[in-house]
Amino acid sequence: MVGRTGEPFEFPVELGKIREFARAVASRDVAYTDGSVTPPTFLMAADLWQSRANSPWGDHPRALARTLHAEQEFVFTGPPPAAGTTLRGQSRIDRRYTKHGRRGGTMTFTEVVTEYRDEQDRVIAEVRSTTVETSKAART
């Protein structure tokens, strides 16, 4: 699984969507309302622009009932993108490892990295998402 990639996708950074996102996270920063930059976590909205083809998981079944979102990290090489930018993203499975848990059995950690490039093909951000899948349901 490590190294698998999804198909690239386009993500237009639209002023209205920046404003909606900023409002949803209760930000009043004028930089977001005028579109000069996006909130750092705005790239999560790109999930709405993706299909199964863009996922590095492909048709590999996952046990979503035993899967938890563990961590999210945003790394920018410069300022966050501004309104009017069209980004190209591509996700890959970067790491998988296991640990033994007390209540849920073996835990499989998966780190997926989505790289975002601008119109000049420069990497502007990487988003790292870590999920944990337990081998069995946790006892309560």
Side-chain angles (χ1 to χ4, degrees):
M1 297 288 302
V2 172
R4 281 185 66 170
T5 61
E7 294 294 320
F9 60 92
E10 283 196 356
F11 178 47
V13 180
E14 302 168 350
L15 177 59
K17 294 301 177 190
I18 296 169
R19 287 178 176 166
E20 290 171 0
F21 191 90
R23 185 173 181 188
V25 297
S27 175
R28 291 186 176 20
D29 191 323
V30 72
Y32 305 151
T33 57
D34 72 10
S36 56
V37 296
T38 57
T41 56
F42 177 76
L43 292 176
M44 291 311 299
D47 284 355
L48 301 172
W49 289 80
Q50 297 178 54
S51 69
R52 180 173 281 186
N54 305 120
S55 171
W57 292 98
D59 290 328
H60 180 24
R62 292 182 290 163
L64 295 179
R66 295 189 327 265
T67 300
L68 307 167
H69 181 261
E71 185 176 26
Q72 198 76 34
E73 178 183 22
F74 300 84
V75 178
F76 293 89
T77 59
T85 306
T86 298
L87 301 176
R88 190 179 75 254
Q90 187 169 28
S91 299
R92 73 177 183 281
I93 297 175
D94 194 52
R95 277 181 77 200
R96 278 178 66 89
Y97 53 95
T98 60
K99 291 183 179 181
H100 182 72
R102 290 190 307 262
R103 297 184 336 174
T106 301
M107 300 179 295
T108 302
F109 291 75
T110 304
E111 295 178 13
V112 174
V113 173
T114 304
E115 183 179 86
Y116 290 91
R117 294 179 175 269
D118 65 11
E119 294 95 338
Q120 288 75 41
D121 203 36
R122 295 178 299 219
V123 174
I124 61 118
E126 282 190 352
V127 177
R128 180 175 298 272
S129 177
T130 304
T131 58
V132 179
E133 183 179 328
T134 59
S135 61
K136 59 184 178 181
R139 290 176 292 191
T140 56

